[in-house]
Amino acid sequence: MRNKKETDMLHGSLWDKILLFALPIAASSILQQLFNSADVIVVGQFAGKSALAAVGANGPVINLMVNLFVGLSVGANAIISRSIGQNDPERTSKSVHTAIVIALISGFILALIGQPLAVPVLRLISTPDDILGLAALYLRIIFIGMPFMMLYNFAAAILRSKGDTRRPLIVLAISGVVNVILNLFFVCVCKMSVDGVAIATVTSNAISSIVLLRLLMKETGALRLEIKKLRLDAVCLGAIARIGIPAGLQGMVFSISNVIIQAAINEIGENAMAGSAAALNLEFIVYFVISAFGQANITFIGQNFGAGNLSRCRQATRLSLAMCTAATIFMSMLMVVFCEPLSKIFNTDPAVVEFSCQRIKIVISLEVLNMFNELLSGTMRGYGYS
């Protein structure tokens, strides 16, 4: 019998299931981004423009260094979804345990390389000397917590592969509240700066990852996580890597372009850096809605392709494309129309708000172009082509 927390992707109507599957993923991603947004808002309002610029300068750098490994979680989602569709519990179980080991290894790699590379990378993107120390401090603390971030992403991907998007959202909502409370405590009460918001983010990531791991350990059936079974299965690792590495490299290509753009913004000055940081947090909200439908396609098509139902795969693609197009256009229009009040949430300095609105009007108004790339990439990954 199918668990009520799971979505039956192989039978019945599709549009409502895709929507109910994608919306919690979008909400989860937005909440995860709000960890960073809360950092940006708190330091922007209570610690000043320099701290805001220091946190904002790190966004493209962090994305560049983690995207390859996050791409592997996309591969895990696709492979586990297909194994479920093929009704292959042994392969499903091996893929689950392989995915968790990948998460641990990738997290510790990032934690180690993030420390010595923090200052050189920030200098490479022309981070001004007056905020370099703050930016490096924030980056080093965030990278110490990378094992928790990787564990959350992979554990959430495992649960989503069977259609469970509700519990990752609930867990992230709770840890997000903790993050905001700790941000305010460290900055307003303890008078800390970027170090306080970074510690709050790492603590929140630790909570969300540990809770999801406990949920997986209490699962029944093939998705149950058992410590004694944690090992890399060569076949599963190869299958995950074939989809995950190209997905990660695709993300890195976009991140490299963002790093180059960030370097140019850093040359303009502190106001441009702060304004760009504010706008980027709003861009992410639109992007995560797009990404959620892409991830829905990976899972729905993965399961139905595994079950041999190609007509249902094509139907899922058409419906996702229609719904995602409508959602992207609607949200982009809202962001552009209300760019000024939205920007002031992060910082009220007129120069900062002006730079933020410039970026929003140019980038977010064209986000629909990126939608086709993300959605159809998800479709291809569901079929096993990355």
Side-chain angles (χ1 to χ4, degrees), residues 74-101:
V74 172
N77 186 344
I79 295 305
I80 296 170
S81 296
R82 192 186 308 167
S83 299
I84 293 172
Q86 293 171 337
N87 195 24
D88 188 344
E90 182 180 358
R91 181 176 171 83
T92 301
S93 179
K94 288 180 178 179
S95 298
V96 166
H97 291 88
T98 297
I100 295 298
V101 174

Side-chain angles (χ1 to χ4, degrees), residues 57-285:
N58 279 297
V61 176
I62 293 170
N63 289 336
L64 174 63
M65 297 180 74
V66 305
N67 268 343
L68 177 61
F69 298 104
V70 171
L72 290 173
S73 71
V74 172
N77 186 344
I79 295 305
I80 296 170
S81 296
R82 192 186 308 167
S83 299
I84 293 172
Q86 293 171 337
N87 195 24
D88 188 344
E90 182 180 358
R91 181 176 171 83
T92 301
S93 179
K94 288 180 178 179
S95 298
V96 166
H97 291 88
T98 297
I100 295 298
V101 174
I102 294 172
L104 287 169
I105 293 173
S106 59
F108 282 112
I109 289 173
L110 287 168
L112 289 173
I113 67 174
Q115 304 310 308
L117 290 180
V119 172
V121 170
L122 288 168
R123 286 194 183 280
L124 189 65
I125 63 171
S126 305
T127 303
D129 289 338
D130 56 342
I131 67 165
L132 180 63
L134 289 174
L137 176 61
Y138 180 84
L139 188 59
R140 283 176 172 144
I141 296 172
I142 291 295
F143 271 93
I144 289 173
M146 277 299 155
F148 298 119
M149 182 183 290
M150 291 297 107
L151 280 172
Y152 173 82
N153 280 304
F154 278 80
I158 291 168
L159 288 172
R160 289 166 184 161
S161 66
K162 70 164 187 174
D164 182 0
T165 58
R166 184 174 64 87
R167 287 188 293 175
L169 173 59
I170 293 171
V171 170
L172 201 60
I174 294 170
S175 60
V177 172
V178 172
N179 180 68
V180 173
I181 292 171
L182 290 178
N183 272 333
L184 293 170
F185 174 75
F186 287 135
V187 175
C188 299
V189 179
C190 300
K191 304 303 180 184
M192 300 171 72
S193 182
V194 297
D195 51 345
V197 294
I199 292 170
T201 296
V202 170
T203 304
S204 302
N205 284 335
I207 291 171
S208 60
S209 62
I210 291 170
V211 173
L212 282 191
L213 287 177
R214 289 293 300 166
L215 291 176
L216 285 174
M217 293 171 77
K218 292 181 179 180
E219 279 288 311
T220 58
L223 264 66
R224 181 181 177 86
L225 178 65
E226 299 180 55
I227 302 299
K228 63 182 180 181
K229 291 184 179 180
L230 284 175
R231 62 180 61 88
L232 290 173
D233 180 84
V235 175
C236 294
L237 176 61
I240 290 172
R242 277 193 296 274
I243 295 176
I245 290 178
L249 290 174
Q250 178 181 325
M252 288 184 71
V253 168
F254 283 102
S255 295
I256 289 170
S257 66
N258 286 333
V259 167
I260 295 170
I261 292 168
Q262 185 66 48
I265 292 169
N266 293 350
E267 295 282 357
I268 301 174
E270 189 178 86
N271 288 329
M273 293 174 67
S276 179
L280 185 61
N281 278 272
L282 297 171
E283 287 172 34
F284 277 133
I285 294 175

